[in-house]
Amino acid sequence: MNKITFWLWLLPVVVLGQPHHSPKYWIFFADKPASIETTDAKASNGSIANDLDKPVSALYQSQLQQQTGVCIEARSRWFNAVSARLTGRQRTAVLALSFVQKIQVIEPGVIITSASSSISREIMAPKLAPVLNQIQADIFARVGLTGRFVTIGVIDAGFFGADSSNALKPVFGRGGVRAVRDYVNQPRFATDLLHTLETTADFHGTEVLSAIAGFDPYNNRQYGLATDATFYLARTDAGNREFRGEEDNWVVAIEWLDSLGVRLVNTSLGYAKGFSNPSENYLPAQMDGHTSLISRAAQIASDKKGMLIIVSAGNEGDDRSWRIISTPADAQGVLAIGATNNRLWNRAGYSSIGPEALPYLKPNVSCFSLYGTSLSAPVITGFAACLMQARPDLTNKQLMDVIQKSSHLYPFGNNYVGYGVPQASRALALLKNYPANSLQLPETARKVSAQGKTLVLPIATTDKVVLVFHKKDAIRVLQQAEIKVVNGKITLKRQPNEQRTTVDLKQTVVEVIWD
């Protein structure tokens, strides 16, 4: 099934007839005018009410059909759009309508990017950045999952040069960035945010956006998974100083994104210490999910607004005076992303650790990054966008559940890397029957009981060394270590206070429970 028909299969389709010789388009309306038909609109899950849940305007549909003669085939409440086959004359007429925002071709086999990127993708598969190989990005590509029809909000420090970056030219070239807002210098024009360099932090959002959706057609290299998504960008973090007011900017930005119906947000920002005024610094004990304003706002976005907020865990893992995650990664409802190394998938030294006092697991998952958790979070945002394209009916918490259950250590997570690295193959398998009620261990995981202080464990691997996590309980890590494989076996030596040991074999995981 190709990428277009795969997505349409998930939509409520009403076929009224179609000129099969003409290309098919999505017709996006500019707004959803208030009327009797929208005042009582409810979310499909019965708990969330915003513009995404309101029906497409019947008045606009009627005027579209009467004034252009098109036959509507499908309606999308989430994207305020209808699909139809258009002749060249109809296409011109539709674009002239005041209530039409834009149109986008969806004919099978056509990729909506710049012409050069379309050609290169058709000729050969793009070279994947190393992190994309770790999460099996090629599997998403095979089934046509590219974040198409998914809207993503990015809250960051700056987006300087984003529209001229080779990796992002396809996104801007197709109008994939809908709006940009600067909450640091609010009177300034949005275009200034892309073209004015104040500090080196202004590159940060550009790099993050590239890790979500980047594809360089000139070098045929793919950096992110959500290459066909739509974006709203918000700058909330000033590069020249750190102050609590940046959290207020973040709250205003998340409310703006909510007003637009955005369900998926990446924020590679975190606040802990290092404020320009030291009196504003947090204490480690305050990384509890409810002390900071920004974490409370993120929790509201998750619980009340149905938004999936993906946050970088933080880069304080090597800082002995801190080590733990920053806020808002501490909020229970967000998906906090740590960083792994590429070879063994163990925690990168700088990647922040989940506070031991938290009653829930942080970080939630992790993936490879050479340059901090700021660039591991957007990779998982692209991963989430692909899942949302495949199953737009799932709630934010269901999507979060799928991502966690698709990760390579599940269900034996820990406060170093969470449930590990999400795998596209597992995620797609979960989507087929989700939600499914099962209390059994997945086929990729098993438990082993052990007594004494030593265990010789036979394992199936071709690796010369494997990664283990020595843990004081189900999730809190004492130490991560490499163990040599000798004749298909490893020897585990129990440490003082160690209750569990997780043996990470990448494709499978073994949880040793010491008696």
Side-chain angles (χ1 to χ4, degrees):
M1 186 179 295
N2 63 49
K3 66 185 73 173
I4 303 300
T5 55
F6 178 79
W7 193 84
L8 288 179
W9 177 71
L10 298 169
L11 283 173
V13 177
V14 179
V15 179
L16 301 178
Q18 55 191 13
H20 290 283
H21 60 280
S22 301
K24 185 183 289 185
Y25 294 82
W26 277 110
I27 302 167
F28 294 86
F29 295 142
D31 59 0
K32 288 184 177 179
S35 64
I36 295 176
E37 65 185 285
T38 63
T39 53
D40 294 325
K42 294 182 179 179
S44 58
N45 64 8
S47 62
I48 302 163
N50 55 37
D51 284 344
L52 283 179
D53 303 311
K54 296 176 182 177
V56 179
S57 169
L59 176 61
Y60 285 170
Q61 293 181 67
S62 176
Q63 290 179 347
L64 175 68
Q65 291 173 309
Q66 291 175 6
Q67 296 181 38
T68 66
V70 304
C71 295
I72 295 173
E73 295 191 7
R75 298 166 176 81
S76 170
R77 289 180 302 149
W78 287 8
F79 298 97
N80 193 26
V82 298
S83 69
R85 295 187 179 273
L86 305 179
T87 64
R89 181 174 297 180
Q90 286 175 325
R91 183 177 182 276
T92 301
V94 168
L95 286 171
L97 296 174
S98 61
F99 53 84
V100 171
Q101 182 185 57
K102 71 170 188 175
I103 66 173
Q104 191 171 60
V105 66
I106 56 174
E107 190 70 9
V110 177
I111 297 176
I112 311 303
T113 57
S114 67
S116 57
S117 67
S118 298
I119 293 172
S120 64
R121 283 180 170 183
E122 289 294 327
I123 293 174
M124 59 181 173
K127 294 175 288 185
L128 299 179
V131 63
L132 296 187
N133 287 314
Q134 192 181 62
I135 61 174
Q136 302 176 328
D138 60 314
I139 293 177
F140 281 147
R142 285 180 219 156
V143 295
L145 294 176
T146 58
R148 192 182 293 259
F149 306 112
V150 175
T151 303
I152 302 173
V154 182
I155 303 177
D156 216 280
F159 301 92
F160 178 74
D163 57 345
S164 58
S165 165
N166 283 346
L168 294 174
K169 281 182 179 178
V171 175
F172 282 87
R174 61 178 170 81
V177 175
R178 295 283 183 83
V180 183
R181 284 200 177 182
D182 186 349
Y183 290 97
V184 176
N185 299 306
Q186 294 190 36
R188 204 169 65 176
F189 289 107
T191 52
D192 292 339
L193 184 58
L194 302 176
H195 304 141
T196 302
L197 182 65
E198 296 179 0
T199 70
T200 55
D202 290 327
F203 288 104
H204 193 266
T206 302
E207 294 172 342
V208 166
L209 187 58
S210 296
I212 298 173
F215 172 70
D216 182 352
Y218 305 100
N219 295 303
N220 194 37
R221 191 167 185 84
Q222 184 172 342
Y223 299 98
L225 283 169
T227 52
D228 287 324
T230 299
F231 295 90
Y232 290 94
L233 312 179
R235 180 198 189 200
T236 64
D237 195 275
N240 55 359
R241 66 189 182 104
E242 294 293 335
F243 61 105
R244 288 283 184 97
E246 292 174 324
E247 294 188 44
D248 293 342
N249 293 342
W250 193 95
V251 172
V252 176
I254 200 70
E255 291 181 359
W256 171 58
L257 294 173
D258 172 55
S259 73
L260 298 168
V262 175
R263 290 188 59 217
L264 178 60
V265 177
N266 184 95
T267 181
S268 289
L269 301 173
Y271 302 93
K273 61 178 187 175
F275 285 100
S276 299
N277 180 353
S279 67
E280 294 186 343
N281 288 347
Y282 287 102
L283 299 174
Q286 292 177 309
M287 300 297 100
D288 56 9
H290 56 78
T291 294
S292 75
L293 177 71
I294 193 171
S295 282
R296 297 203 305 271
Q299 195 64 43
I300 290 172
S302 172
D303 291 343
K304 305 297 184 182
K305 297 298 183 178
M307 303 171 80
L308 178 56
I309 313 293
I310 297 182
V311 185
S312 54
N315 302 325
E316 287 75 40
D318 285 329
D319 183 349
R320 292 292 171 180
S321 68
W322 190 268
R323 292 202 78 194
I324 62 172
I325 61 175
S326 51
T327 188
D330 59 330
Q332 184 174 6
V334 308
L335 195 70
I337 314 301
T340 64
N341 292 304
N342 197 32
R343 184 173 67 92
L344 285 179
W345 300 10
N346 56 323
R347 180 181 69 88
Y350 62 80
S351 186
S352 291
I353 296 167
E356 292 192 357
L358 280 183
Y360 45 83
L361 185 66
K362 292 292 171 178
N364 299 81
V365 299
S366 300
C367 68
F368 173 57
S369 174
L370 281 175
Y371 306 107
T373 59
S374 288
L375 292 185
S376 57
V379 171
I380 304 304
T381 297
F383 193 99
C386 291
L387 301 184
M388 290 177 70
Q389 178 188 351
R391 288 289 303 273
D393 59 304
L394 296 185
T395 68
N396 59 327
K397 294 186 178 181
Q398 288 174 324
L399 288 165
M400 186 170 169
D401 186 48
V402 169
I403 292 170
Q404 292 182 144
K405 287 181 176 177
S406 75
S407 299
H408 83 290
L409 293 179
Y410 186 85
F412 304 121
N414 61 65
N415 66 331
Y416 270 35
V417 296
Y419 289 111
V421 180
Q423 301 291 286
S425 59
R426 298 187 189 182
L428 291 179
L430 286 166
L431 288 185
K432 288 181 180 179
N433 298 309
Y434 194 87
N437 295 320
S438 175
L439 299 178
Q440 297 180 344
L441 283 177
E443 295 180 357
T444 54
R446 65 187 176 100
K447 292 181 180 180
V448 172
S449 296
Q451 296 179 337
K453 296 184 178 180
T454 303
L455 173 68
V456 177
L457 181 69
I459 58 173
T461 183
T462 57
D463 294 334
K464 295 181 179 180
V465 297
V466 299
L467 172 68
V468 301
F469 294 95
H470 300 283
K471 301 187 298 184
K472 65 176 69 175
D473 55 28
I475 64 173
R476 295 182 294 173
V477 175
L478 292 165
Q479 181 188 30
Q480 64 179 17
E482 299 179 22
I483 295 184
K484 291 183 178 180
V485 180
V486 179
N487 298 323
K489 301 175 182 178
I490 58 173
T491 300
L492 298 176
K493 295 183 179 180
R494 186 179 185 182
Q495 297 184 357
N497 301 318
E498 183 174 2
Q499 298 297 319
R500 293 193 177 204
T501 306
T502 301
V503 180
D504 179 0
L505 302 176
K506 295 182 181 176
Q507 301 304 314
T508 59
V509 58
V510 180
E511 186 79 347
V512 177
I513 302 175
W514 298 92
D515 294 333

